[in-house]
């Protein structure tokens, strides 16, 4: 006979936190959002080999997590899983870009040859939007440095358009440069000492390597939580599938990926077990692999047994996901997290091993993140949330007078087309499990994440918790009625300024 769960399944919008006692030291400055990313033996006092500094990771999706997003999010203390629904080469290239990204050291993307004309220079600056152009002998970003030219060196309406760049640039002999290997703070000292706006960094042969800009250094200082590896490179994850992992993972390891995640809407399967077994057999515990998604204790125990390093929870709750409509599978996200977190705690009591749990999808308001953490999640994965920012890979458009960004599901035809091409047109899609959509544009990731984490921290203070484990222990949660839900937003008034509505 079929199994019936006794309780109906609930989602975040049906819960609230009831404040607990806040002592005098429950102030935002004392709260830490650090959280483990992969499993560790907690009983023996071990620490997780990988931590996040904020409990947020970006979804394994084409419209969310590319190298640009990964750098922006790691800078804030979170982590991106670069999408796997692309060729192995392209994904490895994205991972390598994140790992080679030197905070504050920028590869010059506006370059010109000395004998090119001011007209060509003008066209280049219009195309790239950058007013500082490196002049290299071959016009490439790593060519021999000949000079630098900025919009203060020439006036396009007063100079002959066919005049040569070399007659207006600051030549190499008059420039302040630094040698490769210089630290960011030493580069910054040179910038201040010589009152320059940018410092070219060259190798021993005089080839341009990077530019360090005055404005970027202060940005580096604004990110005290940035998530770095031992070599001071940003941490980055990669999504993988259960088909080509034996070819994909070696290339991603070579590119520098720090952690992997098997990406599937349904992870309680023989395929995930085999992938975990094969990869751990080949790499031992040097490689960290999350698995999922599951929505009950049985699914959790299966993946824990199979060796998953973290377990992702959520089926059908994603904003662009129509899996529930199409296939009738899934579970309310709050209920799923509560049950899986209980199974995780039970597993820990039995084995001493703590396996972090990630709540994936369905976060609509910032406080849903706090609820997910209070219910036992160690971190959350978000798609829609990150898709809205400048740093997501998709186009920003104007629709009906409002700025929006594109956002599409991995189960939509738009995302899955690459596979069809990849498999030579042999695998046709029977039906879609995701939609192609717009989300309201939300500006810079740094600003959005700052507001979100500040709300989480303040709520934690209200619950008397200075850390995520403390929140999980102390949180008091209540289910609320439909009438209480309506009472929770502005009501019985005519709201003047709609922009105060909470995210
Ligand atoms: P959300 O943050 O609510 O936008 O949800 C993002 C999550 O939705 C992803 O991390 C993934 O688990 C799920 N997803 C991605 N594509 C699709 C789909 O096409 N159905 N679902």
């Amino acid at each position: 006979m079929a199994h019936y769960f006794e309780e109906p399944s609930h989602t975040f919008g049906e819960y609230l936190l009831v404040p607990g006692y806040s002592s005098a030291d429950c102030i935002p400055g004392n709260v830490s959002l650090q959280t483990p990313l992969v499993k560790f033996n907690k009983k023996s006092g071990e620490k997780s080999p990988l931590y996040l500094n904020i409990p947020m990771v970006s979804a394994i999706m084409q419209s969310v997590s590319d190298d640009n997003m990964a750098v922006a999010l790691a800078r804030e203390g979170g982590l991106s899983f670069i999408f796997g629904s692309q060729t192995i080469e392209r994904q490895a290239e994205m991972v390598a870009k994140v790992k080679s990204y030197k905070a504050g050291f920028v590869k010059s993307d506006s370059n010109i040859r000395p004998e090119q004309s001011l007209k060509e220079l003008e066209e280049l600056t219009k195309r790239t939007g950058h007013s500082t152009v490196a002049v290299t002998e071959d016009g490439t970003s790593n060519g021999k440095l000949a000079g630098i030219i900025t919009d203060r060196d020439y006036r396009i309406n007063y100079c002959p358009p066919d005049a040569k760049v070399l007659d207006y640039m600051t030549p190499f002999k008059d420039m302040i440069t630094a040698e490769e290997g210089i630290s960011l703070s030493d580069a910054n000292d040179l910038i201040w000492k010589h009152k320059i706006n940018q410092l070219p960094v060259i190798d021993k042969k005089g080839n341009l390597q990077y530019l360090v800009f005055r404005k970027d250094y202060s940005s580096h200082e604004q990110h005290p939580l940035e998530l770095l590896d031992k070599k001071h490179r940003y941490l980055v994850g990669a999504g993988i599938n259960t088909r080509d992992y034996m070819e994909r993972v070696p290339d991603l390891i070579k590119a520098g990926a720090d952690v992997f995640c098997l990406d599937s809407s349904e992870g309680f399967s023989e395929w995930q077990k085999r992938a975990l077994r094969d990869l751990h057999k080949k790499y031992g515990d040097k490689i960290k692999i999350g698995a999922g998604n599951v929505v009950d204790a049985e699914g959790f125990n299966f993946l824990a047994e199979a060796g998953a390093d973290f377990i992702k929870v959520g089926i059908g709750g994603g904003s662009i996901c129509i899996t529930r409509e199409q296939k009738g599978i899934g579970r309310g996200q709050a209920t799923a997290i509560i049950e899986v977190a209980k199974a995780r705690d039970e597993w820990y009591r039995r084995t001493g091993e703590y396996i972090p749990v990630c709540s994936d999808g369905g976060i609509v308001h910032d406080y849903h993140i706090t609820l997910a953490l209070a219910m036992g999640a160690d971190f959350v994965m978000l798609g829609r949330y990150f898709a809205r920012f400048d740093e997501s890979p998709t186009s920003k458009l104007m629709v009906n007078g409002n700025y929006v960004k594109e956002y599409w599901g991995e189960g939509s035809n738009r995302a899955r087309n690459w596979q069809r091409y990849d498999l030579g047109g042999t695998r046709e899609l029977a039906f879609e499990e995701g939609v192609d959509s717009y989300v309201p544009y939300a500006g810079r990731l740094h600003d959005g994440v700052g507001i979100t984490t500040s709300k989480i921290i303040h709520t934690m203070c209200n619950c008397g918790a200075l850390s995520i484990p403390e929140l999980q222990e102390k949180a008091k949660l209540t289910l609320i009625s439909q009438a209480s839900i309506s009472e929770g937003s502005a009501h019985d008034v005519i709201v003047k300024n709609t922009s105060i509505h909470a995210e």
Side-chain angles (χ1 to χ4, degrees), residues 59 61 318-321 360-362 381-384 407 409-411 433-434:
M61 298 173 72
S319 56
I320 32 51
C321 184
D360 176 16
M381 177 173 271
L382 309 108
R384 187 197 64 89
Y407 178 44
E410 287 295 293
E433 287 189 50

Side-chain angles (χ1 to χ4, degrees), residues 35-51:
T35 193
L37 177 61
V38 294
K39 75 181 174 195
F40 59 105
N41 198 303
K42 193 168 161 184
K43 225 170 232 163
S44 65
E46 225 181 52
K47 286 212 164 295
S48 172
L50 288 174
Y51 279 88

Side-chain angles (χ1 to χ4, degrees), residues 100 102 104-108 141-142 180 199-202 207-212:
S100 64
K102 293 185 81 184
F105 291 81
V106 189
K107 278 254 171 256
S108 172
S141 59
N142 284 125
E180 204 178 10
L199 177 74
V201 178
I202 52 176
N207 294 322
L208 179 62
Q209 300 300 306
Y210 304 104
L211 293 173
V212 180

Side-chain angles (χ1 to χ4, degrees), residues 58-61 64 263-265 293 312-323 360-364 381-386 407-412 415-416 432-435:
S58 70
I60 312 169
M61 298 173 72
V64 181
D263 181 28
S264 169
S265 59
N293 286 8
K312 213 144 65 67
V313 178
I315 297 179
S319 56
I320 32 51
C321 184
I322 52 171
T323 293
D360 176 16
I363 299 290
V364 180
M381 177 173 271
L382 309 108
R384 187 197 64 89
Y385 176 91
F386 286 116
Y407 178 44
W408 60 91
E410 287 295 293
S412 67
R416 285 156 78 166
E432 286 184 292
E433 287 189 50
V435 298

